Amino acid sequence: MEFAGEQKAWHAKSKQWLDLREFWLAYAQENNGLTWGIRDSYPPFEQVEEFDTMIMQTPDGECLLEFFHQRWRKANDVRRWDKAFDSFSGCATVFEY
């Protein structure tokens, strides 16, 4: 949903609209936090567990990733919140780097 040109997502737990990055952080916080933090490289594969999360920084921006079925995926591909997340910040190109 857009509000005055700014993309927002409804966060049911707090009953408020959050910008998409805030929504990611709230989701991560509710699910054991950002397991691998905010980074520009992948953590060691053998240390990653199912449903771990991180925000990947790329030259195009950031994207919340979630480890699901043995690989990193955009969290929106796992959770299917809204198509707007697919093009937000660095998500459109996150796997090109």
Side-chain angles (χ1 to χ4, degrees), residues 41-87:
S41 63
Y42 292 97
F45 183 82
E46 58 280 347
Q47 295 177 21
V48 180
E49 296 182 16
E50 190 83 348
F51 301 113
D52 278 0
T53 58
M54 70 174 169
I55 291 181
M56 179 64 82
Q57 293 180 321
T58 74
D60 296 327
E62 301 176 323
C63 189
L64 178 66
L65 301 181
E66 187 165 350
F67 197 76
F68 186 67
H69 293 316
Q70 298 300 305
R71 69 182 178 111
W72 287 105
R73 300 171 192 263
K74 291 185 263 185
N76 192 49
D77 290 343
V78 177
R79 304 293 157 198
R80 299 311 308 161
W81 294 306
D82 190 280
K83 284 185 98 168
F85 285 100
D86 290 336
S87 58

